[in-house]
Amino acid sequence: MKPIITASACASESAGPRPPVLLDVRWRLGGPHGRADYEAGHLPGAVFVDLDQDLASPAGDGGRHPLPDPEVFGAAMRRAGVGQDTPVVVYDGGQGWAAARAWWLLRWAGHRDVRVLDGGLAAWTGDLSTDVPHPAEGDFRPKPGALPTLDADSAAAFARSGLLLDARAAERYRGDVEPIDRVGGHIPGAVSAPTDENTGPDGRYLPAEQLAARFAGLGAEAGAEGVGVYCGSGVSGAHQVLALEIAGLTGILYPGSWSEWSADPSRPVATGPEPQ
């Protein structure tokens, strides 16, 4: 199953006999969550999910968006109507990061039928609703570990002996600026691969063959054990993992990402445009 769905296909499935659960995951980096945007208009039947509250644990030693407690995450998904076997479509405002985080978490927690609305709300041409639905409680029970993850040590190992992609903007990778975390730069050996190069001007993912060519140019090899991915706090990195899946590759997320790595002064930091 493809990890993305077009707006037209989503509309068709929503009107069909087995409609997907729709999750609105609008979120703004460094700003308030998207509840106000949701209340102003959302896909009919969509339930709002708060990235900071439902899709992450409180910031701490594990970074700014550590993996959520499975019980907390599971309860949020059940309140939204997610069942073990119900199809799920997640969307955000169009950047795709928050929706990809929800997609990755559901996959990591064992859900097998979840897709991202390609292009997000901006791609939707149908009517919007201000009605807040109250779906019947779902029966989804997370089983964490269905997707592999990296910790700081295994991310460092990937950078040395495999391929570790840094999904942040190039200027943060180089260490020119660091607006959020303790120090700028990157994990030594990591390759710069900004997430915004996965999509076109309309915010939709590039075709699979273009993504495959992009990642091949960065050093990804078909059939390899996987490509490590990190970002600032495990949000935009999920977008990179999804892009890798579209390209036919396996991405392995480091959830703690730079916010965890850089918080430890004992860990090395590289700066400049080159991996080392």
Side-chain angles (χ1 to χ4, degrees), residues 44-55:
V47 176
F48 179 72
V49 174
D50 187 320
L51 187 149
D52 292 313
Q53 298 297 319
D54 301 326
L55 306 182

Side-chain angles (χ1 to χ4, degrees), residues 8-266:
S8 59
C10 181
S12 178
E13 290 189 18
S14 295
R18 192 167 177 255
V21 172
L22 302 176
L23 303 181
D24 184 311
V25 201
R26 276 179 278 181
W27 172 78
R28 301 173 190 173
L29 178 63
H33 63 59
R35 181 81 199 199
D37 296 330
Y38 168 82
E39 291 175 349
H42 50 263
L43 269 61
V47 176
F48 179 72
V49 174
D50 187 320
L51 187 149
D52 292 313
Q53 298 297 319
D54 301 326
L55 306 182
S57 291
D61 293 341
R64 279 182 281 110
H65 290 104
L67 293 181
D69 179 286
E71 290 302 317
V72 173
F73 174 62
M77 293 299 99
R78 291 191 294 275
R79 286 195 302 271
V82 176
Q84 293 291 140
D85 299 313
T86 55
V88 179
V89 172
V90 294
Y91 71 92
D92 57 25
Q95 188 178 38
W97 294 4
R101 169 76 176 207
W103 166 84
W104 184 89
L105 274 173
L106 280 163
R107 290 280 306 277
W108 168 80
H111 201 290
R112 293 172 293 183
D113 191 352
V114 54
R115 291 163 290 172
V116 167
L117 177 59
D118 196 17
L121 187 67
W124 184 258
T125 59
D127 293 334
L128 298 179
S129 173
T130 57
D131 294 335
V132 177
H134 299 283
E137 179 137 335
D139 63 356
F140 177 64
R141 299 286 174 183
K143 296 180 179 178
L147 292 182
T149 59
L150 301 175
D151 60 13
D153 290 339
S154 54
F158 253 81
R160 291 191 301 267
S161 61
L163 177 62
L164 180 67
L165 299 180
D166 184 317
R168 297 171 301 155
E171 60 267 24
R172 290 183 70 193
Y173 171 88
R174 294 191 301 265
D176 297 346
V177 298
E178 182 44 66
I180 305 173
D181 294 312
R182 185 185 68 84
V183 64
H186 56 270
I187 297 174
V191 174
S192 181
T195 296
D196 59 10
E197 295 180 17
N198 294 328
T199 55
D202 58 2
R204 301 183 191 186
Y205 282 92
L206 298 175
E209 60 274 14
Q210 290 186 36
L211 288 171
R214 181 198 181 208
F215 292 124
L218 293 169
E221 298 179 1
E225 64 180 40
V227 176
V229 176
Y230 76 97
C231 56
S233 65
V235 177
S236 65
H239 190 282
Q240 195 93 289
V241 172
L242 195 155
L244 284 159
E245 181 159 321
I246 294 172
L249 299 163
T250 299
I252 305 176
L253 184 66
Y254 171 22
S257 286
W258 187 248
S259 60
E260 180 187 47
W261 181 279
S262 64
D264 183 349
S266 71

